[in-house]
Amino acid sequence: MLSRQGSQMRRLARAKLDEIGNMLRALLPRLPHAPRGGWIAGTREALGMSRSDLARRLGVSPGSVTKLEMSERAGSIRIDTLRRAASAMDCELVILVVPRQPLQSMVDQRRLQRYGADIDRAATHMSLEDQSISETMRRHLLQQAEAAIPDSTLWRESPIG
């Protein structure tokens, strides 16, 4: 019972995140690329703020701001450092992890992949009869897979069991 509730809670969480993910995936192609010198330098320069001004606001040396901007361009900046720099320029830092496809689709695909032996057998029998797996059959197989493969084991590389 507890496991089933946990599974339902994860499904609900995926549905909520999928709503947001769908919106963000539609938005991603329209987002601008980072300014040539990086977001910190681009924002700082657009504000008319010198490196010395930003350094003073951060309580560091101007050379540290140069290193900070270089580490952002190199992709090695620490998130807390980026957050402090954004705050010093009265900006918000937004970091997003956007799934390439809906989370529920990813889970369903993985579950069906792990449950593949039974699906392959069903597909083989159906292809011999010149049939394809219908959406109803797919849902049925997915229900069986959900019963056999809990969410907690989906991403393990070892065989089920």
Side-chain angles (χ1 to χ4, degrees):
M1 174 87 170
L2 210 52
S3 172
R4 183 152 173 82
Q5 283 178 328
S7 179
Q8 289 171 341
M9 294 298 289
R10 279 188 294 279
R11 184 179 286 275
L12 180 60
R14 284 192 296 266
K16 288 180 180 183
L17 287 171
D18 280 345
E19 283 182 40
I20 297 166
N22 291 339
M23 179 185 64
L24 291 172
R25 274 190 299 283
L27 183 64
L28 283 177
R30 297 193 311 252
L31 289 177
H33 294 284
R36 188 172 133 128
W39 288 106
I40 297 168
T43 303
R44 178 183 56 71
E45 290 168 2
L47 287 170
M49 187 182 290
S50 70
R51 281 191 181 97
S52 294
D53 293 331
L54 181 55
R56 203 170 19 264
R57 289 170 155 251
L58 287 168
V60 299
S61 70
S64 293
V65 171
T66 301
K67 289 178 186 175
L68 183 149
E69 290 175 352
M70 288 172 50
S71 68
E72 181 200 359
R73 283 192 303 275
S76 60
I77 192 166
R78 291 177 42 154
I79 292 172
D80 63 325
T81 302
L82 193 54
R83 186 174 287 118
R84 283 184 46 235
S87 180
M89 295 184 290
D90 198 26
C91 295
E92 293 292 331
L93 176 64
V94 178
I95 299 172
L96 301 170
V97 175
V98 182
R100 292 185 182 107
Q101 61 178 312
L103 295 171
Q104 189 61 54
S105 295
M106 291 169 63
V107 166
D108 290 348
Q109 288 172 11
R110 179 66 176 183
R111 186 169 272 123
L112 289 174
Q113 178 186 27
R114 297 287 308 268
Y115 199 66
D118 289 344
I119 293 170
D120 290 345
R121 273 197 302 277
T124 300
H125 289 295
M126 294 182 83
S127 68
L128 292 173
E129 297 173 13
D130 200 24
Q131 299 175 355
S132 63
I133 294 180
S134 67
E135 185 57 30
T136 303
M137 175 63 101
R138 183 182 177 282
R139 279 195 306 269
H140 175 70
L141 289 169
L142 190 53
Q143 285 173 344
Q144 287 181 329
E146 285 177 357
I149 306 167
D151 287 357
S152 61
T153 65
L154 279 176
W155 306 101
R156 294 182 189 156
E157 295 303 320
S158 62
I160 302 165

